Amino acid sequence: MKEEDVQNKIESLFRNQVRNDGRVKNAYLLVDSDKLNIHLNAAAGTTDGSKAHIGQPNHLASVGKLFTAALIGILHEKRQLYYDDPVGGYLDADLMRGLHVFKGKDYSDQITIRHLLMQTSGLNDVFYHLWKKKMENPDFRISPRGAIIWGKENLHPKAVPGGRHFYTDTNYFLLGLIIESITKKGFHEVMHELIFKPLGMEHAWLYGLSEPETATDYPTARLYIKGQDLLSIEGIHEIDYAGGSVIAPLKDFLTFMKALTSHRILRKEILHRMIEDDIPMGFPILGFNYGYSIWKTGTVPLILPRDYYCWGCVGVTGAFMFYHPGTESFIIGTFNDFSWRGKALRFMAGKVIKELLQYQEKEGIKTSYC
């Protein structure tokens, strides 16, 4: 089997998934492995009546959280913050007051930056509540700071800080505000300054917050949550913010991942901590652990063998950005629909990684382990 054959097989599997699901309007897949000499770029479907193109910018939803975590890592390296610092040292007293009151006890001063990164602060998630309010009232607007205040006034925490994993955008809103507090700049300015510009990600920007250095010739791909085009909602960026927001062609996301894995963004020991300092995600995300915005597969007999180990980040609209050390492959893509929030991971591991591993074995290429 030659690399062209496995590349064609993966592309065929991808296109069949799109063809057989009427909910998917447009989808994109990039698989890149110098080791296996595989460089797949595929696009399917349409955007506003135009045929999908791999050069289109894509909003990968919560994949953007890994960019936020990288910014925090950069500030940690610069000694402008430390992972175990209480968040109250960077946020004002009004925001911190009553932020985390659980079963009558105030834990606000016990939340650390590490808790926010690992989704173990115990805070509730404001995103879907505010999403619902925007669906009911298109004129509803709220800032990231306002969203946090709304959350502490209307929602109850889920656990004590460090008690368990509970995935919430609230944590990443707080991280964004911490970044702004330290740098005295807007979150979007820091992203461009410390990540996009140094890496040459000229087509990348933060939705509703900034513009790309150079616009592409292609329309931004649309993405859908329960049938609603996310990008058509006025002010949606206000509840996206540091919990997502990054828009770029897949090749720019690849640039980011290659820089991350080659330690051009963060030192090796920092990336290692982001991956290895983790916690089981629990039901329904069985088999995955969560580090500092990093999803990492565990070993589950008959379901996720050791060879399938990979790490990366996931977006609720069927988006994924992963590195598979065994084949030294980057797998980045999106089905741009909420209905694929779980299926996308199964496609990535059960189809793409499976094909890469089978090809590697048939060719007698040694599996890499990290």
Side-chain angles (χ1 to χ4, degrees):
M1 180 185 288
K2 297 187 179 298
E3 56 265 26
E4 294 89 349
D5 296 328
V6 70
Q7 187 165 301
N8 290 337
K9 177 66 179 300
I10 292 171
E11 182 171 355
S12 178
L13 290 168
F14 165 70
R15 293 190 181 281
N16 285 339
Q17 293 288 336
V18 178
R19 189 179 303 114
N20 295 330
D21 192 333
R23 289 167 294 189
V24 177
K25 307 297 190 300
N26 53 85
Y28 306 81
L29 177 65
L30 182 155
V31 181
D32 189 274
S33 173
D34 290 336
K35 178 184 180 182
L36 303 184
N37 194 28
I38 291 174
H39 305 282
L40 169 64
N41 291 279
T46 62
T47 297
D48 301 332
S50 299
K51 186 177 180 181
H53 190 281
I54 194 61
Q56 287 180 252
N58 266 277
H59 185 306
L60 298 191
S62 286
V63 166
K65 286 183 171 66
L66 187 49
F67 288 77
T68 300
L71 286 180
I72 292 292
I74 291 170
L75 296 179
H76 174 83
E77 285 193 355
K78 291 174 177 287
R79 299 183 179 181
Q80 293 181 271
L81 61 74
Y82 294 96
Y83 287 131
D84 292 320
D85 286 346
V87 302
Y90 303 95
L91 300 171
D92 63 86
D94 285 343
L95 192 64
M96 288 299 302
R97 189 175 298 110
L99 179 63
H100 188 309
V101 178
F102 183 68
K103 295 184 177 179
K105 183 175 179 180
D106 194 333
Y107 293 92
S108 304
D109 62 353
Q110 296 184 29
I111 302 173
T112 66
I113 291 172
R114 175 176 174 267
H115 288 146
L116 301 181
L117 289 164
M118 294 182 70
Q119 305 280 22
T120 57
S121 72
L123 293 172
N124 210 323
D125 185 25
V126 299
F127 181 84
Y128 287 106
H129 294 278
L130 297 179
W131 166 271
K132 183 178 179 181
K133 289 177 75 67
K134 291 188 78 67
M135 293 302 96
E136 294 171 347
N137 177 14
D139 295 327
F140 173 75
R141 303 292 294 268
I142 194 167
S143 67
R145 176 187 172 85
I148 293 168
I149 293 172
W150 184 92
K152 70 178 182 179
E153 292 176 349
N154 293 276
L155 303 174
H156 298 292
K158 293 289 187 177
V160 299
R164 69 180 179 94
H165 175 89
F166 182 75
Y167 191 97
T168 163
D169 277 32
T170 308
N171 291 326
Y172 278 73
F173 290 178
L174 288 165
L175 288 170
L177 293 177
I178 288 170
I179 290 168
E180 292 187 348
S181 173
I182 290 171
T183 63
K184 309 305 179 187
K185 297 177 181 179
F187 174 71
H188 60 286
E189 295 177 279
V190 184
M191 186 70 76
H192 280 266
E193 179 182 320
L194 297 184
I195 294 183
F196 294 167
K197 190 170 183 178
L199 297 183
M201 296 172 62
E202 62 177 349
H203 300 307
W205 78 97
L206 296 184
Y207 182 66
L209 300 173
S210 67
E211 297 291 337
E213 182 179 334
T214 305
T216 70
D217 295 328
Y218 307 100
T220 301
R222 318 308 288 181
L223 67 161
Y224 300 86
I225 295 182
K226 298 182 179 179
Q228 178 69 51
D229 177 4
L230 185 73
L231 303 186
S232 70
I233 302 170
E234 187 71 23
I236 192 66
H237 66 280
E238 295 162 345
I239 59 169
D240 197 9
Y241 185 52
S245 295
V246 177
I247 296 185
L250 295 194
K251 69 174 184 177
D252 275 1
F253 285 100
L254 175 63
T255 295
F256 171 79
M257 282 297 281
K258 283 188 170 181
L260 193 61
T261 55
S262 62
H263 316 301
R264 289 187 286 121
I265 299 177
L266 298 165
R267 295 197 309 268
K268 183 177 181 179
E269 57 267 30
I270 298 299
L271 178 60
H272 179 79
R273 177 170 177 173
M274 290 174 65
I275 298 171
E276 298 302 324
D277 186 11
D278 61 1
I279 187 170
M281 296 183 74
F283 184 83
I285 317 294
L286 298 176
F288 279 86
N289 279 23
Y290 196 90
Y292 297 3
S293 188
I294 289 176
W295 298 51
K296 181 180 72 174
T297 59
T299 298
V300 182
L302 303 179
I303 300 175
L304 280 173
R306 178 190 181 197
D307 287 352
Y308 282 73
Y309 169 83
C310 58
W311 61 265
C313 203
V314 174
V316 75
T317 49
F320 48 89
M321 181 175 71
F322 275 77
Y323 178 62
H324 179 241
T327 57
E328 298 176 24
S329 299
F330 299 90
I331 308 165
I332 305 169
T334 179
F335 288 90
N336 279 334
D337 194 272
F338 181 76
S339 64
W340 274 80
R341 62 194 183 280
K343 292 187 291 184
L345 277 177
R346 294 196 293 272
F347 170 79
M348 183 200 68
K351 296 189 183 297
V352 179
I353 292 179
K354 179 181 179 181
E355 292 295 331
L356 295 173
L357 285 169
Q358 288 180 349
Y359 168 69
Q360 182 166 262
E361 183 179 2
K362 288 178 181 177
E363 294 298 310
I365 302 171
K366 186 177 180 181
T367 298
S368 306
Y369 291 104
C370 64

